[in-house]
Amino acid sequence: MNSRPMPCSQQELGSLFLFEKLAPDQLALLCREGRVEEFAPGPVYGEGDPATCFYVLLEGTLVLSRRIGDYDVEINRSSSRGVYAGAFQAYLGDRLRQVYNSSLRVIEPTRFFVLPAETFATVMREWFPMAVHLLEGLFFGTKSAQEAVGRREQLLALGSLSAGLTHELNNPAAAAVRATSALRERVAGMRHKLGIIAARPYRRDTLETLVDIQERTAERVAKATTLSPLEASDREDALADWLDDHGIGDGWQLAPAFVQAGLDTDWLDQVAAAVDSDTLEGAVRWLNYTVETELLMNEIEESTTRVSVLVTAAKQYSQLDRAPHQVTDVHELLDSTLLMVSAKIGPHITVVKDYDRGLPKIPAYPSDLNQVWTNLIDNAVSAMSGTDADGTLTVRTAREGDHLLVEIRDTGPGVPAEIRDRVFDPFFTTKPVGEGTGLGLDISWRIVVNKHQGDLRFDSVPGDTRFQVRLPLAPTDPADPRSPQEAS
């Protein structure tokens, strides 16, 4: 910082809109306690440094910027006399961590009136006590409202996810219950058929052949491949004809299970060769129970596996059993989030995953990133739900230099041009009253930018809206010293 002191003029201070209503003795105190400095082009103070001074522009041009990831983003540039920066929240005292929430530099020789933060806080409390009370109420009231609505946003998200998870768990659980009930009936039928076979005068070698066929049948069920609808229909017709030709009634009812198990007429020929024509139907129906039993056990296994997958996804999403900050695979987070919100996505929206699986794991706060994905996907789904046509939700990952890109794309109507500058503002929402709090994107921005030193932006035209999250691949400091208000 290159500056030189200059004389302080009460008349010059009194010409500024900030001080024009002050009395001569007040202006004299400001000149006595403060100072005028001229700064050469360059930095004046840095973001995150202790906020020690309040700066008022007298002459020149100032530039305010914020650090976002690896870039300094300009947020304001002004040559207007009287604009201020620095410790303008010093009157809040130690109730707020007093650091500069942006960086200040000048691009030409520039004069500032500089007032120490302690003096600024004192004159504010002594000269404008009512204004200080109002400002304190506004600041902390807004902060409390944001925290309360933020908690409400999290509860709404939790409720939505719980409903979706309950819906997803109910399907495989109900399927397992139905399959277990049917399995009990099939096992009872198998016992009955086994009793009938045992009562018949079968030769020992015939029974051994039937048992061998039963074992090989169970093996074929486990290895059965899925047929196309046309292939399955043709094979069912062939099996039904075979059964009718051999005097086995209602063959059309047995054929679908045999086809699903991967059996064909060659398999039935083996059964027919093992028994005589009088006992063929009983043997086929007995083996049909074997097929149905195996298929039902497969269904139970698939259903319970689905439940296990959902529970694993819920743990991955919530990160309840993991450290807050860790090296994580973004694709696992995206997959768990998509699974958790799948009930809300619905059948009219096609989900496309365009992942770069070669991307490395990154240091991050996984549970916070899951909240970001949830907010972005929820907004995309809501945008497409208002259209008559089916939509497409595309989740893409890629590498951009030293950052990892996650892009959430939807085919909705797009973000209107007149509100694009406000979408990240707290409490701003385009959803009907009661359906949105207006904090989803604000929270997402704070998580990505403030907590991960990343970047969140969007591009939108009708039919193609893309929210892009860029996260640094290199480790960042997991301790975030800035509160949401201080970082804004």
Side-chain angles (χ1 to χ4, degrees):
M1 182 173 64
N2 185 13
S3 66
R4 64 186 181 93
M6 303 187 72
C8 178
S9 168
Q10 296 183 35
Q11 182 178 2
E12 185 177 28
L13 289 186
S15 67
L16 302 177
F17 67 87
L18 276 180
F19 307 133
E20 61 184 359
K21 300 296 184 181
L22 297 184
D25 59 326
Q26 292 175 318
L27 293 173
L29 185 146
L30 291 180
C31 269
R32 185 170 62 252
E33 297 292 334
R35 62 187 184 274
V36 173
E37 290 189 53
E38 183 179 63
F39 290 82
V44 177
Y45 61 72
E47 180 179 356
D49 293 341
T52 58
C53 295
F54 176 69
Y55 293 83
V56 181
L57 181 64
L58 298 175
E59 181 183 21
T61 302
L62 63 78
V63 176
L64 290 171
S65 62
R66 290 287 306 277
R67 188 71 173 176
I68 299 179
D70 295 332
Y71 305 97
D72 286 318
V73 178
E74 183 176 317
I75 59 175
N76 191 21
R77 177 184 296 246
S78 180
S79 300
S80 300
R81 298 177 68 248
V83 297
Y84 55 89
F88 54 84
Q89 292 179 334
Y91 60 88
L92 295 173
D94 57 8
R95 286 177 293 175
L96 181 71
R97 187 165 177 262
Q98 297 294 336
V99 295
Y100 295 121
N101 58 17
S102 61
S103 295
L104 174 64
R105 62 186 176 90
V106 296
I107 58 176
E108 61 179 332
T110 301
R111 289 190 307 123
F112 287 102
F113 171 68
V114 184
L115 192 64
E118 297 82 0
T119 304
F120 175 71
T122 299
V123 299
M124 283 291 291
R125 295 191 189 100
E126 292 181 358
W127 295 354
F128 314 106
M130 182 176 179
V132 168
H133 286 305
L134 292 174
L135 289 172
E136 287 177 343
L138 177 63
F139 180 84
F140 290 110
T142 301
K143 186 175 181 180
S144 297
Q146 285 183 319
E147 292 174 351
V149 177
R151 288 192 294 269
R152 176 64 175 170
E153 180 92 1
Q154 292 175 334
L155 288 173
L156 289 174
L158 178 61
S160 177
L161 290 172
S162 298
L165 181 60
T166 302
H167 174 78
E168 291 295 322
L169 286 172
N170 182 66
N171 290 335
V177 170
R178 289 193 302 269
T180 302
S181 177
L183 179 62
R184 182 175 287 108
E185 294 179 2
R186 299 305 186 274
V187 171
M190 184 181 291
R191 289 198 302 267
H192 176 69
K193 286 295 181 184
L194 183 61
I196 294 176
I197 291 175
R200 296 290 183 91
Y202 283 106
R203 297 192 310 272
R204 180 183 180 88
D205 59 339
T206 299
L207 289 175
E208 290 178 349
T209 300
L210 281 174
V211 171
D212 179 64
I213 292 175
Q214 182 186 42
E215 292 297 327
R216 287 189 286 114
T217 297
E219 293 178 1
R220 294 188 66 169
V221 174
K223 300 176 181 178
T225 58
T226 302
L227 302 176
S228 69
L230 182 59
E231 291 174 329
S233 178
D234 291 342
R235 187 171 292 187
E236 286 177 15
D237 290 341
L239 285 172
D241 291 341
W242 190 98
L243 293 170
D244 290 341
D245 293 342
H246 288 75
I248 300 176
D250 298 327
W252 60 273
Q253 292 182 329
L254 302 178
F258 288 160
V259 170
Q260 187 178 356
L263 308 180
D264 52 22
T265 54
D266 292 339
W267 173 80
L268 291 177
D269 287 336
Q270 296 179 40
V271 178
V275 298
D276 56 44
S277 57
D278 293 336
T279 57
L280 174 61
E281 180 173 359
V284 168
R285 294 189 183 279
W286 175 57
L287 292 175
N288 178 63
Y289 282 120
T290 299
V291 168
E292 291 187 335
T293 299
E294 290 295 322
L295 292 175
L296 287 169
M297 286 193 292
N298 286 346
E299 185 176 349
I300 293 172
E301 182 181 18
E302 291 173 2
S303 298
T304 52
T305 300
R306 174 66 175 171
V307 171
S308 178
V309 169
L310 286 168
V311 171
T312 301
K315 290 178 65 178
Q316 172 70 27
Y317 181 85
S318 63
Q319 299 286 313
L320 289 178
D321 58 346
R322 305 189 182 189
H325 189 270
Q326 59 181 284
V327 177
T328 187
D329 185 346
V330 168
H331 301 111
E332 292 181 358
L333 304 183
L334 290 168
D335 286 340
S336 66
T337 301
L338 287 169
L339 183 57
M340 295 297 287
V341 301
S342 58
K344 185 167 187 177
I345 292 176
H348 70 289
I349 294 177
T350 301
V351 178
V352 176
K353 298 179 182 179
D354 182 10
Y355 291 168
D356 179 358
R357 293 291 186 178
L359 292 172
K361 295 182 178 181
I362 62 171
Y365 294 87
S367 61
D368 289 327
L369 288 182
N370 280 337
Q371 187 175 3
V372 174
W373 314 143
T374 302
N375 291 336
L376 297 182
I377 292 172
D378 179 75
N379 287 345
V381 170
S382 297
M384 292 185 285
S385 298
T387 62
D388 295 331
D390 292 342
T392 300
L393 174 70
T394 304
V395 182
R396 182 172 73 93
T397 63
R399 180 167 186 161
E400 290 190 353
D402 55 358
H403 282 74
L404 183 149
L405 168 70
V406 176
E407 181 180 83
I408 310 295
R409 177 184 179 188
D410 69 73
T411 55
V415 181
E418 61 271 15
I419 67 170
R420 292 184 184 180
D421 293 338
R422 303 180 60 195
V423 296
F424 293 112
D425 290 351
F427 304 108
F428 178 78
T429 180
T430 58
K431 297 178 182 179
V433 175
E435 295 186 16
T437 61
L439 284 180
L441 288 178
D442 174 61
I443 291 172
S444 299
W445 192 92
R446 293 170 185 270
I447 290 173
V448 172
V449 176
N450 293 344
K451 203 163 189 177
H452 289 86
Q453 288 75 57
D455 180 40
L456 173 58
R457 65 184 73 173
F458 73 96
D459 292 313
S460 181
V461 295
D464 186 4
T465 297
R466 308 182 186 201
F467 277 83
Q468 298 177 330
V469 175
R470 290 173 175 81
L471 300 168
L473 295 171
T476 56
D477 185 0
D480 181 14
R482 296 176 296 176
S483 70
Q485 284 292 337
E486 292 171 279
S488 62

